[in-house]
Amino acid sequence: MNHSHVNGTRGLYALLILSALFAVKGAWASEELIFTEAQISALGIEVVNPAIADVAPGPSYPARVELPPGQEHVVTAGEGGVVEAVLASEGQTVAAGEPLLRLRSAGIAALEREYLQAREQAALARQQTERDEALYREGIIPERRVQESRSALAQAHTLSQGARQALEAAGLDAKDLHTLEQTGRVSSTQILRAPFTATVLEVMVRNGEQADPSTPLLRLGQTSTLWLEIRVPVEDLAGLSVGAGVQVLHATVLGRVILIGQQVEPADQSVAVRAEIHTGAESLRPGQLLQVSLLEPSGAHAFRLPASAVVHRGEGQYVFVQSPQGFRVEPVRVLSTSTGDVVVNGTLSTDDRVAVKGIAALKGAWLGIGGE
């Protein structure tokens, strides 16, 4: 086979495709290049996903990872007792209802006994009320007797509900209460369970320790959403706005500024800036100290791409991002370059597919829209 003939045929085919594209340039929307899959393949266009750059641009600032309010829960010993076994460890993710700790508590046994007695009294009062209502309908007893029975039933029900609420406040969940009601067996052993899916942030007791009533035992946190509390010098606040991008240095962690404080810290003349992390929160821990960069003015993040992905037009820098119609032209700013790679700042995402080969064909089609 004559390879030069085949290569020449492919080159001619690509040239014909480009000619056709230039001929229909009026069909393109602004900065949108229309290509079919067959044309993309024939022109040898290849794409890659941008990678989050491991070093963000610009100056860095100290930050501390914080849990938003409402996402932290402290497990306490409601009635106190002796810690028989700690069933969860720091850093462990626990599901809702999963056992955290086992206590032996005389106070819990007393509350369970009171609840069972109150339930029994309520059941007896209900039976008495039903009998009296039947007798009243038959004209055997006066209405006053029925009213007294109903009042006694209401009081018994109130006492039963109060005893149940005392057990709930002490840490028994619906499953524990159902077991108690079905078996009627009083136990001094209490299993404390996770109220929701969370991470164990801190274990504050050890096996065998005496825990007084309301003593904190474990600290839980829902870490799916985390905040960064950033200290920014007053002179660096110019141009910073809510919505600006935040990037943790040497980590694939991204966020957005949600609050810029008004109070200046006299000691270092800094202002608190709060950001909410939306990518990479699972790699951080509340209380962790780190360094971050603020990305302004667009709030876009820094991404690493092969150097071949970036094209220049005038003083601007651009990449071609694959779209359902073909490719769209996306402006970027080159922050740094290294052998074969560039770090760019732009409104990209790691899900985008950026062209890295066949760039000449894309640029030619683009310039055909409006020329230089």
Side-chain angles (χ1 to χ4, degrees):
M1 179 181 292
N2 189 329
H3 293 286
S4 62
H5 174 72
V6 172
N7 291 335
T9 301
R10 288 178 178 172
L12 179 60
Y13 181 46
L15 183 60
L16 289 173
I17 290 174
L18 280 177
S19 299
L21 289 171
F22 291 136
V24 295
K25 63 183 180 181
W28 287 315
S30 176
E31 307 302 285
E32 186 80 28
L33 312 180
I34 299 177
F35 283 83
T36 66
E37 289 295 332
Q39 291 169 338
I40 291 172
S41 176
L43 292 169
I45 299 172
E46 296 182 11
V47 295
V48 300
N49 297 110
I52 297 174
D54 55 0
V55 178
S60 63
Y61 305 100
R64 178 185 174 93
V65 181
E66 299 285 353
L67 270 177
Q71 291 184 203
E72 185 174 350
H73 177 79
V74 177
V75 178
T76 62
E79 288 298 309
V82 177
V83 178
E84 286 193 333
V86 177
L87 306 175
S89 57
E90 289 186 10
Q92 178 182 346
T93 298
V94 291
E98 189 170 338
L100 300 173
L101 186 141
R102 187 170 69 244
L103 277 179
R104 181 166 296 279
S105 171
I108 287 293
L111 289 178
E112 290 181 349
R113 193 174 298 109
E114 290 174 8
Y115 176 52
L116 292 176
Q117 291 172 351
R119 273 176 55 86
E120 184 178 356
Q121 291 300 315
L124 292 174
R126 186 177 299 105
Q127 293 173 5
Q128 183 63 50
T129 300
E130 291 172 353
R131 283 195 298 268
D132 287 348
E133 287 177 342
L135 292 173
Y136 172 70
R137 287 193 297 269
E138 295 174 7
I140 298 175
I141 62 173
E143 184 179 4
R144 177 180 55 80
R145 283 273 302 275
V146 177
Q147 292 174 344
E148 290 173 351
S149 296
R150 289 172 178 169
S151 177
L153 174 60
Q155 292 178 10
H157 179 72
T158 299
L159 290 174
S160 176
Q161 287 299 106
R164 181 185 177 92
Q165 290 169 1
L167 284 173
E168 290 174 339
L172 270 69
D173 60 14
K175 180 180 178 181
D176 296 328
L177 289 168
H178 179 73
T179 300
L180 176 63
E181 293 165 357
Q182 294 299 309
T183 64
R185 289 198 297 268
V186 173
S187 173
S188 60
T189 298
Q190 179 186 10
I191 302 295
L192 299 180
R193 304 177 186 276
F196 44 73
T197 299
T199 299
V200 179
L201 302 178
E202 185 179 4
V203 177
M204 307 176 187
V205 291
R206 295 181 179 180
N207 294 346
E209 287 187 1
Q210 175 69 41
D212 295 329
S214 301
T215 297
L217 305 175
L218 300 97
R219 190 163 62 92
L220 307 179
Q222 291 177 303
T223 57
S224 55
T225 299
L226 293 173
W227 284 352
L228 291 173
E229 297 293 337
I230 310 164
R231 303 304 306 188
V232 179
V234 174
E235 60 268 21
D236 288 355
L237 291 177
L240 182 64
S241 60
V242 171
V246 175
Q247 188 160 348
V248 175
L249 270 63
H250 310 297
T252 54
V253 178
L254 306 175
R256 297 283 181 193
V257 172
I258 60 173
L259 177 69
I260 300 174
Q262 298 299 314
Q263 182 69 33
V264 177
E265 176 62 38
D268 60 5
Q269 291 295 290
S270 68
V271 172
V273 174
R274 179 177 298 157
E276 183 174 282
I277 298 170
H278 58 71
T279 301
E282 65 279 357
S283 66
L284 302 181
R285 297 290 180 269
Q288 184 176 351
L289 300 178
L290 36 77
Q291 293 286 316
V292 304
S293 282
L294 301 175
L295 307 175
E296 279 288 345
S298 65
H301 295 297
F303 296 90
R304 188 174 298 279
L305 286 167
S308 60
V310 179
V311 299
H312 298 265
R313 184 176 184 180
E315 296 183 357
Q317 299 160 328
Y318 306 87
V319 295
F320 298 108
V321 180
Q322 194 166 18
S323 67
Q325 292 76 31
F327 288 87
R328 73 174 188 272
V329 182
E330 193 70 47
V332 295
R333 181 166 60 95
V334 174
L335 303 171
S336 64
T337 61
S338 59
T339 305
D341 286 340
V342 293
V343 174
V344 300
N345 189 204
T347 53
L348 302 172
S349 79
T350 53
D351 294 327
D352 285 332
R353 295 169 62 81
V354 177
V356 294
K357 287 188 178 181
I359 301 298
L362 289 170
K363 185 176 182 181
W366 180 36
L367 296 180
I369 297 175
E372 290 287 355

